Amino acid sequence: KMAAKLKKRALAEFSHVVTEEPQPPIKRLRLVQRSVTPVISLNLSTAGTAQEVLFLLLKLEENIPSDKDGVESMYTELSDHLSVEKDPIVRCKITSLFARLALVPGFNIQILADDLLTRTNIETSHKVLGQLFITMQTVSQIFSPSSPYIQRFMRAAFKNVSNSNHQVRSSCLQLIGCLASCEQQRKDTPASPDWPVSIQEVLTRYISDADPRVRCSAFEAMVSP
């Protein structure tokens, strides 16, 4: 009888099913290596014609670098090429791209501002000179109203606003209107040390300009907030 009881107990223990609590899945750590943004090089010096350079610039326009190092490297290459490029259309395109580069966070806009101001004194193409002042409009919005660059931009605009070319006059008037909206540049104050008259008076003069495009720019500058 004792043997039968032991056998029965052994069978009962053997048939007992042990249920375990489900374990949560093991979380595996995944190491992700951050990719380093490659420095883009246009190799503009290898282009044989102005059309080839323009093609490269158009490709750049669609792929502006978003990091500080990339955009500053790109600016250096563009600025160097601008100094030796003879085609005014290419120079104009490069100058317009400067405005795009200036908007990238971390970009040194002081270097660009100095470059633009210097080029207004040496540029011989009316088209490129006009674009320089258009680019200044974008760059000026990045500076604080009290920045000395605002005054320097204003002086450059007044120096060239009487240019014989309508594009240059128009772009200078647009820049003047943009700068005059700054807190430190009220329109009833003297335009610049070289212009003892007020900004408002200067704009009024060009409302009667012979070219309707210039008159339009003067009016828009006058009514700008």
Side-chain angles (χ1 to χ4, degrees):
K1 291 183 178 180
M2 181 62 69
K5 288 182 178 181
L6 292 174
K7 183 177 180 181
K8 186 177 180 180
R9 182 182 298 176
L11 289 173
E13 291 178 355
F14 181 78
S15 61
H16 179 67
V17 179
V18 179
T19 58
E20 296 182 354
E21 293 293 330
Q23 298 295 323
I26 299 175
K27 293 183 178 180
R28 298 181 180 275
L29 295 178
R30 183 181 179 186
L31 298 178
V32 179
Q33 184 177 5
R34 292 186 177 181
S35 58
V36 179
T37 304
V39 177
I40 302 174
S41 178
L42 290 174
N43 295 321
L44 296 177
S45 59
T46 62
T49 64
Q51 287 76 13
E52 292 178 359
V53 176
L54 280 174
F55 176 74
L56 292 173
L57 295 176
L58 290 173
K59 288 180 61 178
L60 167 63
E61 195 169 24
E62 299 174 354
N63 299 279
I64 297 292
S66 59
D67 63 296
K68 175 180 178 293
D69 293 338
V71 75
E72 289 189 348
S73 173
M74 186 61 59
Y75 166 71
T76 299
E77 185 172 357
L78 289 174
S79 182
D80 290 345
H81 188 82
L82 181 59
S83 299
V84 298
E85 177 61 55
K86 298 185 181 301
D87 190 286
I89 297 178
V90 174
R91 297 207 309 276
C92 192
K93 186 62 180 178
I94 292 176
T95 304
S96 69
L97 284 173
F98 284 165
R100 295 281 304 278
L101 300 183
L103 299 176
V104 176
F107 179 70
N108 192 334
I109 57 172
Q110 287 84 3
I111 293 179
L112 174 57
D114 289 332
D115 190 10
L116 294 173
L117 288 165
T118 299
R119 293 184 188 279
T120 60
N121 295 321
I122 60 177
E123 182 56 59
T124 57
S125 167
H126 288 140
K127 187 176 184 65
V128 181
L129 184 58
Q131 182 60 54
L132 283 168
F133 287 107
I134 292 174
T135 298
M136 279 187 192
Q137 290 185 53
T138 300
V139 175
S140 67
Q141 300 302 301
I142 304 174
F143 288 102
S144 66
S146 59
S147 170
Y149 281 100
I150 299 299
Q151 284 287 348
R152 293 179 64 187
F153 288 155
M154 184 69 83
R155 285 196 294 269
F158 277 106
K159 179 181 177 181
N160 290 273
V161 73
S162 58
N163 192 283
S164 61
N165 182 267
H166 72 88
Q167 289 181 316
V168 178
R169 295 202 303 279
S170 292
S171 59
C172 285
L173 289 168
Q174 292 167 14
L175 178 59
I176 291 170
C178 176
L179 297 177
S181 64
C182 295
E183 294 179 4
Q184 305 298 323
Q185 284 292 333
R186 292 176 53 84
K187 292 182 180 178
D188 57 354
T189 59
S192 76
D194 303 324
W195 287 69
V197 297
S198 68
I199 296 173
Q200 192 78 30
E201 185 176 345
V202 173
L203 296 177
T204 302
R205 292 180 182 180
Y206 287 92
I207 286 181
S208 58
D209 191 273
D211 193 295
R213 291 162 292 190
V214 177
R215 295 199 299 270
C216 182
S217 295
F219 180 76
E220 290 176 349
M222 183 172 289
V223 299
S224 63

